[in-house]
Amino acid sequence: MTSRPARQVWEAALGELQVQVSKPNYQTWFEKSLGLSYQGNQFVIGVPNTFIAEYLDRNQRSLIEKTLIGITGRDVNVVFHVDTNHQNSFNGGDVRGKTSLASTLRFNSKYTFDSFIVGDCNRFAHNAALEVAQNPGHSYNPLFICGGVGLGKTHLLHAIAHLALANNIKVLYVSAEQFTNEFIIAVRDRKTEEFRNKYRTVNLLLVDDIHFISGKEQTQESFFHTFNELHNSNHQIAVTSDCPPKSMPLLEDRLRSRLEWGLVVNIQPPDFQTRLDIVQAKSQQQGMQIPLKTMELIAQRGQRNIRELEGYINRVAAFAKLTRALPTPELALQSLQDIASKVPQNAAITPTVVMEIVAQSFQLTLENLKSRRRKETTLARQVAMYLIRQETNCSLAQIGQELGGREPITVSSACKTIADNVNSDPGLRQRILNIQQKLYAK
Ligand code: ADP
Ligand code: MG
């Protein structure tokens, strides 16, 4: 085991660190690092500059060492080495092949509509984003995308930017935090005119994580005026947030009502099928051949959000490479073992768990839910069928069996009915969302 190449060990560690630290943190400090050498206890990590080396050394050393010890099973002493050449070798041709546009505008070149997997949980948001990118100022204005962390909000915003740019539309993408900082600096340096011009002369303004301006009165005021000017000239605004405008605390009412003018779309946690599609797509992108059973296992585990799911895929991939083994379900189980222990024990969603929560939601007993006779429980049963289909990998026949011995065709049409109605019936959507949240919280 001593000769495991540093590079692969570090890739495995990165897979793990990605799930342990926040995304901005990961991107800023870890993403461009590389395992350089591993001899005796000394593990040398290459980083692009001194700033990063110092930061990691001071703040992340113990986490990194713990992670490496977990992987190598030996004591590890980490050394950071500034290596200006390593970025190219790490990223391969990827970086050099891209146009400079993406990097200067700081859009992630991977966040496009093409790489965005559409499922029931995000179809609405995806379609609205596409519409806005193709027809800015003439569709929903503003477009307000909300949802929990790691569900693809930033990805969609960047996708809008890429598409609009390709159509020569003047786009500005900014995080609400950046907007706030720039505003503060502009006021301090008496450059508010410049600030105004920058933001009010674009055709499409994309503001990520708008909830950041909650409670910041002056920034809200500035955003309010920016909003009005753009909106009055039919220029498009799209924002993301971790909650809908109505639940944003400390937001001025006039701004709240502006944000509700257009379309508010919600991204929900991904269902099983979407997670499976994502695992499939991402492993293909990495050029990995993963058997279906393994992909299902990963999709079962990474239930909370897509960022977590990506971390799991990377981890399994790195472990397979590291041990030169095939990514079998056993290997996946093994490599996700200690992460999985941080997830609540009964994280695997079974038909019974789904049925129990659905029954609770409709105030029925489990027997009533399964009963063959009761007509008034049809909706509850359809919801149960739909959710079991979404959240587990049971076949239609198995689901029919679970719910009082019904035919696969009945299950199939129930799933379709709910899938159709979930987009047009907000009450039903909310109910399903609540049930899913309970499932994931289990
Ligand atoms: P958020 O901004 O909602 O916190 P991100 O947009 O940063 O989430 O998404 C987290 C990660 O998951 C990103 O790497 C993103 O590419 C990926 N991701 C999210 N949704 C999808 C999707 N539907 N298809 C493919 N990848 C996705
Ligand atoms: Mg985001």
Side-chain angles (χ1 to χ4, degrees):
M1 290 301 233
T2 45
S3 61
R4 281 176 180 177
R7 186 167 165 149
Q8 287 181 6
V9 174
W10 184 238
E11 275 176 34
L14 285 177
E16 218 168 293
L17 289 162
Q18 200 174 6
V19 228
Q20 294 188 38
V21 303
S22 71
K23 184 173 185 193
N25 210 325
Y26 181 83
Q27 286 181 328
T28 315
W29 309 112
F30 291 97
E31 201 161 63
K32 294 203 174 102
S33 59
L34 183 73
L36 289 183
S37 73
Y38 178 30
Q39 275 171 354
N41 285 346
Q42 194 176 69
F43 197 101
V44 183
I45 298 167
V47 292
N49 59 50
T50 344
F51 185 53
I52 294 185
E54 276 174 14
Y55 173 87
L56 289 175
D57 193 27
R58 212 168 301 149
N59 303 296
Q60 305 286 359
R61 166 179 290 279
S62 71
L63 176 68
I64 292 173
E65 288 183 345
K66 216 167 71 196
T67 308
L68 285 170
I69 290 168
I71 290 172
T72 59
R74 294 196 297 149
D75 203 17
V76 173
N77 182 17
V78 164
V79 175
F80 298 98
H81 176 76
V82 178
D83 173 13
T84 43
N85 295 324
H86 82 276
Q87 281 187 41
N88 281 347
S89 61
F90 188 65
N91 291 317
D94 204 86
V95 163
R96 276 163 288 161
K98 293 281 178 270
T99 61
S100 60
L101 199 63
S103 55
T104 51
L105 294 169
R106 285 196 270 141
F107 298 144
N108 188 326
S109 57
K110 293 189 191 130
Y111 293 178
T112 59
F113 281 113
D114 281 346
S115 64
F116 191 85
I117 305 291
V118 183
D120 288 342
C121 56
N122 58 26
R123 181 167 291 112
F124 246 25
H126 168 269
N127 292 352
L130 193 58
E131 172 67 31
V132 157
Q134 286 167 336
N135 252 326
H138 299 287
S139 16
Y140 326 103
N141 202 8
L143 172 63
F144 191 105
I145 303 173
C146 55
V149 290
L151 296 183
K153 301 184 297 297
T154 298
H155 188 136
L156 277 182
L157 225 47
H158 285 219
I160 296 177
H162 284 299
L163 191 57
L165 265 180
N167 292 329
N168 290 323
I169 288 162
K170 196 170 167 197
V171 183
L172 186 57
Y173 167 87
V174 72
S175 70
E177 183 172 2
Q178 216 175 322
F179 183 89
T180 305
N181 292 343
E182 282 183 27
F183 173 67
I184 292 170
I185 291 169
V187 171
R188 189 195 64 194
D189 298 347
R190 294 172 208 264
K191 289 194 171 144
T192 46
E193 196 55 34
E194 242 171 72
F195 177 84
R196 254 184 74 130
N197 287 341
K198 172 173 173 186
Y199 283 97
R200 299 181 197 177
T201 53
V202 294
N203 301 119
L204 173 54
L205 176 64
L206 304 164
V207 184
D208 209 357
D209 295 326
I210 189 81
H211 52 265
F212 185 84
I213 67 171
S214 277
K216 301 188 174 61
E217 278 170 30
Q218 285 188 318
T219 310
Q220 285 188 28
E221 163 116 19
S222 163
F223 183 71
F224 178 77
H225 292 302
T226 307
F227 182 102
N228 286 343
E229 271 189 48
L230 290 175
H231 200 274
N232 286 343
S233 359
N234 275 339
H235 292 167
Q236 180 72 43
I237 299 144
V239 303
T240 69
S241 163
D242 63 1
C243 60
K246 68 171 180 326
S247 357
M248 254 168 86
L250 306 176
L251 188 71
E252 271 186 70
D253 279 343
R254 56 180 189 166
L255 186 52
R256 192 189 309 279
S257 86
R258 292 291 188 283
L259 290 172
E260 284 172 336
W261 268 357
L263 181 69
V264 178
V265 286
N266 215 311
I267 305 189
Q268 296 175 16
D271 47 75
F272 179 77
Q273 189 55 52
T274 311
R275 296 198 301 266
L276 189 59
D277 292 345
I278 288 171
V279 177
Q280 210 148 13
K282 305 251 165 186
S283 44
Q284 240 166 34
Q285 279 161 23
Q286 299 193 9
M288 291 232 325
Q289 296 258 336
I290 303 188
L292 183 63
K293 279 265 170 279
T294 306
M295 291 201 278
E296 286 178 348
L297 192 137
I298 300 173
Q300 282 282 4
R301 300 269 153 156
Q303 285 166 356
R304 277 182 297 214
N305 63 54
I306 297 171
R307 187 172 302 148
E308 175 188 73
L309 194 60
E310 284 183 339
Y312 287 7
I313 303 164
N314 292 345
R315 193 177 156 116
V316 172
F319 260 76
K321 251 204 239 164
L322 201 66
T323 53
R324 299 208 173 81
L326 291 173
T328 57
E330 292 72 34
L331 178 126
L333 260 182
Q334 207 186 347
S335 52
L336 298 178
Q337 213 166 31
D338 39 324
I339 300 188
S341 62
K342 286 177 209 129
V343 175
Q345 282 286 300
N346 48 352
I349 296 176
T350 61
T352 311
V353 173
V354 178
M355 288 188 296
E356 277 167 2
I357 297 179
V358 171
Q360 234 175 43
S361 162
F362 284 90
Q363 298 181 324
L364 297 171
T365 63
L366 203 52
E367 288 68 44
N368 285 347
L369 183 71
K370 294 181 181 182
S371 157
R372 286 199 68 88
R373 256 164 280 143
R374 295 171 171 262
K375 271 252 175 316
E376 64 275 21
T377 55
T378 307
L379 177 64
R381 209 159 29 244
Q382 288 177 329
V383 167
M385 290 173 176
Y386 169 82
L387 281 170
I388 298 176
R389 185 85 178 138
Q390 298 272 350
E391 303 298 339
T392 73
N393 51 358
C394 289
S395 66
L396 294 174
Q398 281 169 320
I399 299 173
Q401 221 40 55
E402 292 283 349
L403 279 146
R406 288 173 163 83
E407 294 298 323
I409 178 88
T410 314
V411 179
S412 156
S413 82
C415 293
K416 189 169 177 321
T417 306
I418 299 296
D420 287 345
N421 293 344
V422 80
N423 283 330
S424 52
D425 178 349
L428 181 64
R429 188 159 66 235
Q430 194 52 47
R431 187 193 284 273
I432 288 184
L433 188 58
N434 289 343
I435 297 174
Q436 276 174 327
Q437 273 163 355
K438 286 205 182 115
L439 277 174
Y440 301 140
K442 270 223 150 229

